[in-house]
Amino acid sequence: YGGMGLDFSYSIAVAEELGNIRCGGIPMAIGVQAGMATPALTRFGSDELKKQFLVPTIAGDFVACLGISETGAGSDVASIKTTAVRKGDEYVINGGKMWTTSGCQADWMCLLANTSEGPPHLNKSLICLPMNLPGIHVAKKIDKLGMRSSDTAQIFFEDVRVPSKNLIGEEGKGFTYQMLQFQEERLWGVAAALAPLETLIQETVEYTRQRKVFDRPVLHNQAVHFRLAELATEVELLRSLLHRAVAFYVEGNDVTKLASMAKLKAGRLAREVSDSCLQFWGGMGFTSEVLVSRFYRDFRLMSIGGGTDETMLSIICKYMETLPSK
């Protein structure tokens, strides 16, 4: 279908390199194509669907987006309300999606919708939805704290008709497919954060070395150089956890627990590094003229998007068998 036939570790290598771009929005947009909207189609889609949607997406001719979150259902994927009702050889879609990355410019959406009245984990399906169909309304581009170069849309569906052959895999398996898709999304997000964290630390070292307070470089304060050493160590530990998770995943293992741990740690470390480094930049760090303030805003999303920290903790507890039963 136009790909190189390489395993997932190569996607992670690309994600790490994309982290050298000096903003979060562009790597995130590429990540949606490579690791968020397409894994389920790649794994479970029909040959016809792959030719129609995957080939142009890999080629870069199509922009893809992922339609999961809704106003009342973010990390709680089981609570989505959007419906796709089967009528003849079509699905009729009604509802809406929120916080859809690349939604304003997307050519197609990997849509999660309720296709039956059954239990919330067994009534959902993934559908390839062309974004030029009648009844699709891109309501607005959302104004955000960070990731400002990325368009994030609120979208409504009103009696949108899509061929039933656009179903990815089996009907009712959408929740399961999306949980598998989340593994790749979360690992990609961790990988894309590593280089920015290293860049922040290195640029803070350079700035505090030349910035003087009370006639000596800020870096010469033990509180500063010790803190930067701690943060650099944490980034290396995160990289090791990521690479271990990816190696397990490539071997065909379920890495939901490790991916959730890596995602949790990445989100918290991104906040810790950007906050600590911004502090050492002083008043300059509070301006929009330096990278540290951009990353402070952009990478706050790490603890929210793709599943909140609290959701990651719940998943980890589930695998540790410490989560109370409902």
Side-chain angles (χ1 to χ4, degrees):
Y1 302 101
M4 296 176 70
L6 304 171
D7 68 47
F8 182 66
S9 66
Y10 289 85
S11 286
I12 291 298
V14 169
E16 286 196 41
E17 286 302 316
L18 290 175
N20 290 299
I21 298 171
R22 294 171 70 84
C23 78
I26 295 170
M28 183 171 70
I30 299 169
V32 169
Q33 297 268 102
M36 300 176 199
T38 51
L41 173 60
T42 303
R43 194 179 282 118
F44 303 108
S46 66
D47 181 61
E48 184 180 353
L49 272 188
K50 289 178 185 176
K51 286 177 179 174
Q52 185 179 351
F53 293 100
L54 186 60
V55 169
T57 302
I58 288 174
D61 296 325
F62 275 11
V63 172
C65 67
L66 182 61
I68 306 295
S69 294
E70 299 179 6
T71 304
S75 295
D76 182 12
V77 175
S79 295
I80 66 163
K81 298 291 188 271
T82 297
T83 59
V85 179
R86 187 78 173 261
K87 291 187 178 179
D89 59 356
E90 292 181 318
Y91 285 106
V92 180
I93 300 165
N94 283 281
K97 294 297 175 181
M98 187 70 167
W99 304 297
T100 305
T101 301
S102 301
C104 296
Q105 61 180 307
D107 296 286
W108 70 280
M109 173 186 285
C110 178
L111 171 75
L112 185 70
N114 296 314
T115 47
S116 72
E117 296 288 337
H121 296 94
L122 301 173
N123 75 335
K124 293 169 174 53
S125 303
L126 285 176
I127 298 168
C128 289
L129 178 67
M131 291 294 286
N132 60 355
L133 297 176
I136 297 178
H137 307 288
V138 178
K140 64 176 180 179
K141 177 183 175 183
I142 299 167
D143 189 16
K144 306 185 300 297
L145 171 70
M147 299 291 192
R148 297 184 66 83
S149 66
S150 167
D151 75 83
T152 307
Q154 182 178 19
I155 301 169
F156 294 107
F157 309 114
E158 186 177 358
D159 292 331
V160 179
R161 293 180 174 271
V162 63
S164 56
K165 65 182 182 180
N166 283 27
L167 176 73
I168 296 174
E170 296 178 44
E171 190 170 284
K173 292 285 186 71
F175 186 87
T176 302
Y177 295 163
Q178 184 51 42
M179 290 305 106
L180 290 170
Q181 207 162 235
F182 271 148
Q183 290 192 40
E184 295 195 7
E185 173 178 343
R186 288 163 183 165
L187 292 171
W188 174 285
V190 174
L194 291 173
L197 296 180
E198 289 182 322
T199 299
L200 274 186
I201 293 168
Q202 189 53 45
E203 292 200 1
T204 302
V205 167
E206 293 166 6
Y207 181 71
T208 54
R209 178 175 280 130
Q210 56 91 18
R211 181 189 170 209
K212 291 189 175 181
V213 174
F214 304 120
D215 292 328
R216 70 172 189 159
V218 171
L219 185 62
H220 287 191
N221 290 282
Q222 190 180 77
V224 177
H225 55 249
F226 272 18
R227 181 63 177 146
L228 293 172
E230 287 175 344
L231 294 172
T233 302
E234 292 289 324
V235 173
E236 282 304 319
L237 288 168
L238 178 61
R239 176 180 277 110
S240 294
L241 174 57
L242 170 70
H243 289 176
R244 179 167 181 249
V246 170
F248 270 44
Y249 185 69
V250 169
E251 290 170 3
N253 298 298
D254 175 11
V255 295
T256 304
K257 180 182 174 184
L258 287 177
S260 300
M261 288 176 165
K263 165 74 165 61
L264 173 70
K265 184 62 180 176
R268 293 187 165 180
L269 188 58
R271 291 153 69 183
E272 198 176 352
V273 170
S274 60
D275 187 72
S276 293
C277 289
L278 191 149
Q279 182 69 24
F280 296 151
W281 281 73
M284 199 65 198
F286 201 66
T287 71
S288 296
E289 297 178 25
V290 292
L291 185 68
V292 66
S293 68
R294 167 180 268 181
F295 280 165
Y296 181 87
R297 291 182 289 105
D298 282 0
F299 285 95
R300 184 61 181 82
L301 183 62
M302 279 291 300
S303 286
I304 300 170
T308 61
D309 284 1
E310 293 72 24
T311 303
M312 296 305 100
L313 287 165
S314 293
I315 293 169
I316 295 163
C317 288
K318 181 181 176 183
Y319 276 81
M320 292 175 66
E321 299 182 349
T322 60
L323 196 67
S325 56
K326 293 181 180 178

